Amino acid sequence: MDPTKRQITKIAREVSKFTVRTLKCEGVGGAEYDFIHVVRKNPGITQAGVREILGLDKGAAARRCANLEAKGYLTRQPDARDGRRQLLYATEQAEALKHSKEWVETLAYEWLAQALSAQEQAELARLLERVYQRSKEESKAGFIHLSQYLAQKGGEQ
């Protein structure tokens, strides 16, 4: 039984709804933000690379890429090694958007934490850091332990 009752996910989902609503004021939807994020994290990635990471079909990726380029968030440059390929890069406008999303999320979590005393906030932060570090270690290990746990628990149903 999950003692957290998935509260971390539920809180993150609510903050995400607020963030998406706020970003729409800048003309960017959630799916577009995900596309920009992949390009920011992988400068010089191809459209096919973005499709693979996000699980998009070719047409959806092409439309999203064209829209983001028209809005000034992405640029395409020819690949010097293969002139048929176009490499994608985030613009300064996309970098500013990243900071806007972080800022909105930070304010939302600050506001939520105001329901706690300073001591409770510090304890929550300490515990979340422990859980976060464990999740990052497991991610870097390829989710081997979590996959084993899932297989074990799946057999118990």
Side-chain angles (χ1 to χ4, degrees):
M1 190 54 121
D2 172 20
T4 71
K5 299 178 185 171
R6 298 180 50 251
Q7 296 296 342
I8 295 169
T9 300
K10 293 173 184 177
I11 294 165
R13 186 179 305 126
E14 297 305 323
V15 169
S16 180
K17 286 182 201 175
F18 176 71
T19 304
V20 166
R21 180 185 297 175
T22 304
L23 289 176
K24 281 190 178 186
C25 294
E26 295 188 43
V28 177
E32 288 178 319
Y33 185 84
D34 291 342
F35 199 100
I36 293 168
H37 181 74
V38 169
V39 174
R40 278 189 46 258
K41 293 292 183 184
N42 303 279
I45 192 170
T46 62
Q47 205 168 287
V50 175
R51 283 196 332 261
E52 185 176 316
I53 291 170
L54 293 178
L56 296 173
D57 66 52
K58 197 173 186 175
R63 285 187 302 277
R64 202 160 295 154
C65 187
N67 286 338
L68 290 169
E69 189 176 17
K71 291 177 182 180
Y73 291 106
L74 300 179
T75 61
R76 297 180 214 228
Q77 297 176 12
D79 186 343
R81 294 170 292 168
D82 181 351
R84 297 170 293 175
R85 291 175 17 146
Q86 297 283 310
L87 305 179
L88 301 174
Y89 295 92
T91 63
E92 287 183 28
Q93 184 176 341
E95 291 299 326
L97 182 65
K98 169 205 162 221
H99 297 300
S100 294
K101 182 176 189 285
E102 288 173 6
W103 182 72
V104 171
E105 288 172 341
T106 298
L107 290 179
Y109 285 117
E110 267 180 28
W111 183 84
L112 290 170
Q114 288 175 359
L116 305 173
S117 70
Q119 184 178 358
E120 290 171 326
Q121 287 181 30
E123 181 66 4
L124 177 62
R126 184 185 71 75
L127 294 171
L128 286 172
E129 181 62 23
R130 279 181 55 191
V131 173
Y132 172 70
Q133 288 306 320
R134 182 175 172 144
S135 74
K136 286 302 285 184
E137 289 168 9
E138 184 64 7
S139 177
K140 288 178 182 177
F143 298 105
I144 186 78
H145 303 102
L146 195 51
S147 296
Q148 291 169 351
Y149 186 74
L150 179 66
Q152 173 194 356
K153 290 296 185 178
E156 294 177 4
Q157 290 182 343

